[in-house]
């Protein structure tokens, strides 16, 4: 009986950890995509202003 309870508790622990890991990875990916888009936008504005000055 004790072994079954221990296995279930450990299984829940691992599943929770895996779900947390997936959500953290998705957050990091979306942050990276947002940062890349912002950097491209800023560089496009800089390029445009340089072309306008020339």
């Amino acid at each position: 009986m004790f072994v079954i309870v221990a296995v279930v508790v450990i299984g829940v622990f691992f599943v929770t950890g895996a779900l947390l890991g997936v959500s953290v990875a998705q957050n990091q990916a979306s942050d990276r995509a947002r940062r890349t888009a912002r950097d491209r936008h800023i560089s496009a504005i800089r390029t445009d202003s340089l072309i306008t000055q020339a």
Side-chain angles (χ1 to χ4, degrees), residues 10-26:
I10 291 172
V12 169
F13 179 76
F14 275 114
V15 168
T16 306
L19 291 176
L20 282 174
V22 168
S23 69
V24 168
Q26 287 176 342

Side-chain angles (χ1 to χ4, degrees), residues 17-44:
L19 291 176
L20 282 174
V22 168
S23 69
V24 168
Q26 287 176 342
N27 284 340
Q28 288 176 346
S30 66
D31 287 347
R32 193 176 305 116
R34 197 178 304 118
R35 204 174 307 121
T36 302
R38 187 190 68 217
D39 290 347
R40 284 187 184 143
H41 182 67
I42 290 172
S43 65

Side-chain angles (χ1 to χ4, degrees), residues 1-14:
M1 182 66 188
F2 176 76
V3 174
I4 295 173
V5 172
V7 168
V8 169
V9 169
I10 291 172
V12 169
F13 179 76
F14 275 114

